[in-house]
Amino acid sequence: MVNWRTSTYTKHESCVEVADAGSTKVMVRDTKDRDGGTLTFSPACWAGFVEFSKTLND
């Protein structure tokens, strides 16, 4: 079973959910279309994206 979570910083009109799927992948999906598919990233790639996105608010 995958444990999906939503960021507390996510706006309602643009929500995504993230799930750690083992130690080798991170999955992302749209909360408004949960059955519409997922994107899968390596943990390192996802961490890089998260760090980059933090710089956009500076």
Side-chain angles (χ1 to χ4, degrees):
M1 178 180 218
V2 177
N3 186 25
W4 293 97
R5 63 188 183 280
T6 303
S7 170
T8 56
Y9 296 104
T10 303
K11 296 178 183 177
H12 293 295
E13 61 272 5
S14 60
C15 292
V16 296
E17 293 177 321
V18 179
D20 296 319
S23 62
T24 61
K25 61 183 176 178
V26 176
M27 298 181 344
V28 181
R29 70 180 180 187
D30 184 345
T31 57
K32 292 183 267 180
D33 188 14
R34 289 183 172 122
D35 295 326
T38 61
L39 299 173
T40 303
F41 302 94
S42 71
C45 182
W46 182 251
F49 169 75
V50 170
E51 288 304 311
F52 172 75
S53 65
K54 290 177 183 178
T55 67
L56 299 177
N57 293 323
D58 291 340

